[in-house]
Amino acid sequence: MIKLLLGGSPCTHWSIAQSRHREVKPEGLGWELFRNYLIAKARYCPDFFLYENNKSISAAIREQITTELGVSPILINSALVSAQSRQRLYWTNIPGVEQPEDRGLVLRDILESGIPLREKGYTLKANYANSNAANALDSGHFPATMAAEPVNVTMDGKALPRRTHCREQGAVGPAEHCSRLLQGAVRA
């Protein structure tokens, strides 16, 4: 049996997207989360490991991770294998890991419906409450990934999503959200 340890601590504390309190030294909560990966590696003694994090971590943190794991990182842009453009660093002792071949995936390849406003996604936001066409199309550092959803318009001028699951799933979960959207209780 081959043991494999895969992981990556949340990048929240190390990313350049963190406008305040970004950690740039191997200390703090982000480093403690990485230390948990090291604890698992020491405890389970995997034959192979892979650790992943964002490209924008500071040089000091990158160097310390390299020292702790004993291997240099490999930079891979997720755009080669997915519809999202995210440059990530991978530290691994798995032999033969190279740049993957570009699969040519774009957002329209993975959407169930709608029309993408970009070819590749750049940021997955946790909160879309303030997302709109204006901030999706701006040229800011982290543009929102959005898709235009076709709608049907009723005789009284109300917009109904073309997805029928909004009406078929009852008043819980996604259907409740769809219902609130239709009633104007939530801005999309």
Side-chain angles (χ1 to χ4, degrees), residues 18-84:
Q18 178 65 266
S19 58
R20 296 186 317 203
H21 311 295
R22 178 179 178 232
E23 296 175 7
V24 294
K25 297 179 183 175
E27 56 189 44
L29 185 55
W31 189 253
E32 287 304 312
L33 294 168
F34 170 70
R35 300 282 307 157
N36 282 297
Y37 181 84
L38 293 177
I39 290 168
K41 185 175 177 286
R43 180 174 182 181
Y44 296 106
C45 300
D47 300 303
F48 300 105
F49 66 85
L50 181 134
Y51 176 79
E52 171 271 336
N53 216 295
N54 69 76
K55 175 190 168 198
S56 69
I57 62 177
S58 72
I61 292 172
R62 182 185 305 191
E63 289 169 17
Q64 191 61 38
I65 291 172
T66 299
T67 298
E68 297 284 343
L69 295 176
V71 294
S72 295
I74 301 165
L75 176 65
I76 298 175
N77 189 341
S78 298
L80 296 172
V81 294
S82 73
Q84 187 178 26

Side-chain angles (χ1 to χ4, degrees), residues 77-147:
N77 189 341
S78 298
L80 296 172
V81 294
S82 73
Q84 187 178 26
S85 182
R86 282 180 72 120
Q87 294 197 21
R88 310 304 284 175
L89 293 172
Y90 296 89
W91 287 261
T92 186
N93 68 342
I94 300 171
V97 174
E98 299 175 353
Q99 289 292 313
E101 186 175 318
D102 188 350
R103 295 185 182 173
L105 294 172
V106 292
L107 285 172
R108 72 176 163 270
D109 295 330
I110 64 166
L111 288 175
E112 291 181 10
S113 66
I115 301 164
L117 301 180
R118 299 181 185 280
E119 285 294 304
K120 292 278 187 180
Y122 290 91
T123 303
L124 293 178
K125 293 187 174 186
N127 182 353
Y128 281 94
N130 296 318
S131 293
N132 57 43
N135 71 21
L137 297 174
D138 75 8
S139 60
H141 187 68
F142 293 103
T145 300
M146 297 183 79

